[in-house]
Amino acid sequence: MLAAALEANQELARLGAGGEPATREWEIVTQDGRRVPVEVSVRTIYQDGKPAGIQAIARDITERELAEESVRESELRFRQLAENIGEVFYMMDAVSGRMIYINPAYEVVWGRTCQSLYEDPESWLEAILPEDREIALTMLQEARGNKPAEKEYRILQPDGSV
């Protein structure tokens, strides 16, 4: 225990050298034996150009770690659902028009790679039969206006099938 404390003190001194704050995460053991994750910020304090001491601030990050784990679990559940449904599902940045996520069903239904849609987010429109494009554009406008939008249109597959 003492060796670990001395090693931690030496590492703190190295982290804070140069006067710039440095941050590290550790796990400490409290007097009652609980393990607590902490974030420690350290910097060397100088006086007359010489090291005069070390300032260290430790913050309990238990709640942050629990929240991060919850987000990871939620992300996993989302991916399991989105990647296993047969319907096309995607997320797009409304401002930039950049694709954020496209589920694998796009490749099955549209016959094109997800990568092609990431590279050209408008390419889906080119795959719609010309006589159905107006329907798709109307649906897109309704969706952008926060109106429920459900329309049917036909997709021309790369092999020429509809």
Side-chain angles (χ1 to χ4, degrees), residues 11-12 15-16 20-26 38-43 57 59 61 64:
E11 184 160 350
L12 284 173
L15 282 174
E20 292 298 317
T23 302
R24 168 113 192 261
E25 291 181 10
W26 267 308
V38 294
E39 178 182 82
V40 180
S41 295
V42 182
R43 74 180 182 107
I57 301 169
R59 183 171 60 99
I61 57 171
R64 183 185 81 191

Side-chain angles (χ1 to χ4, degrees), residues 51 76 111 155:
L76 177 62
I155 302 166

Side-chain angles (χ1 to χ4, degrees), residues 87-128:
E87 288 80 27
V88 175
F89 173 84
Y90 65 91
M91 290 185 290
M92 174 188 277
D93 182 302
V95 175
S96 70
R98 182 181 62 85
M99 288 292 180
I100 298 169
Y101 175 80
I102 307 161
N103 76 330
Y106 178 79
E107 294 187 356
V108 175
V109 174
W110 290 75
R112 290 159 176 82
T113 65
C114 292
Q115 187 60 38
S116 69
L117 194 56
Y118 281 116
E119 291 170 2
D120 182 5
E122 302 277 324
S123 65
W124 67 274
L125 191 57
E126 297 164 10
I128 297 172

Side-chain angles (χ1 to χ4, degrees), residues 21-40:
T23 302
R24 168 113 192 261
E25 291 181 10
W26 267 308
E27 185 177 78
I28 62 169
V29 179
T30 63
Q31 287 182 340
D32 62 1
R34 289 181 303 118
R35 295 185 172 280
V36 178
V38 294
E39 178 182 82
V40 180

